[in-house]
Amino acid sequence: MARRTGAGQLADRASLLTQSGNAWLLADQADNAEAAFSAALKLTPRDPEIWVDRARARAVKQNWVDAEKDLNNALVFDKKKPETYVLRASARKAQNNKGGYQADIEAALSIDPTFPEALVERGAIKLEAGDKTGARADWVQVLVRAPDSPAADAVRQRIETLEVRAP
């Protein structure tokens, strides 16, 4: 429907394609999702949200290089969303780019010092560096600020593991 010229303005057609892409993601059809997001980007290439959506589809397929490229494009158009930096950090981490991963987590926290997903990752960075106290502090902050979030679920497991490993 979105491919018909009578389906509305470019932005309306891109919105339909984006909705379709997100539906494909929910249905575990990452290839179809990526195709829908790619079609939407042909219509509105300056929309950072669609770049992020396509990056998510590519991440599901573990296509980290292209996911990172899409997130780079999203950041060209909007540098103020911490979640974009956290997503790019994940893509960089999957490619063993530790410096880029850490820089993106810090960038996310410079925008929002309490962003839960970034605090989870910074805690992991601290733990890897041997700073158990710092890791715990970041993770407890997630529990206080976003107790019902997926990030909180992740840190509960990490804190429990930390407690078990503690001497």
Side-chain angles (χ1 to χ4, degrees):
M1 182 169 115
R3 294 183 185 183
R4 294 188 208 159
T5 54
Q9 302 295 321
L10 290 179
D12 297 327
R13 293 167 48 205
S15 177
L16 288 171
L17 287 163
T18 301
Q19 290 175 36
S20 172
N22 282 309
W24 283 119
L25 273 179
L26 289 172
D28 292 323
Q29 298 289 323
D31 287 330
N32 290 329
E34 182 178 353
F37 295 133
S38 294
L41 284 167
K42 287 180 183 175
L43 300 174
T44 56
R46 299 178 62 84
D47 186 325
E49 295 299 322
I50 302 172
W51 286 109
V52 170
D53 286 339
R54 189 170 76 173
R56 288 186 307 114
R58 289 177 164 179
V60 168
K61 296 171 25 175
Q62 296 185 353
N63 180 351
W64 303 114
V65 171
D66 288 335
E68 181 180 353
K69 288 177 186 174
D70 283 352
L71 294 163
N72 290 340
N73 284 323
L75 289 166
V76 166
F77 301 112
D78 186 354
K79 291 178 175 48
K80 296 180 182 170
K81 292 193 174 164
E83 56 269 20
T84 306
Y85 288 98
V86 172
L87 289 170
R88 188 172 71 176
S90 296
R92 288 177 164 180
K93 183 178 183 181
Q95 297 173 80
N96 296 313
N97 178 351
K98 188 175 180 178
Y101 161 69
Q102 291 177 345
D104 279 345
I105 295 305
E106 291 306 317
L109 290 167
S110 73
I111 295 166
D112 180 354
T114 64
F115 192 69
E117 289 80 4
L119 289 169
V120 170
E121 296 301 326
R122 187 174 70 184
I125 291 167
K126 288 178 178 179
L127 183 61
E128 187 176 313
D131 181 4
K132 291 180 183 178
T133 303
R136 183 189 320 273
D138 280 346
W139 294 339
V140 167
Q141 196 175 152
V142 172
L143 294 175
V144 169
R145 297 185 179 282
D148 298 323
S149 69
D153 293 339
V155 297
R156 281 185 190 94
Q157 293 174 340
R158 291 177 186 206
I159 289 172
E160 183 177 315
T161 301
L162 190 59
E163 296 294 327
V164 170
R165 284 190 203 162

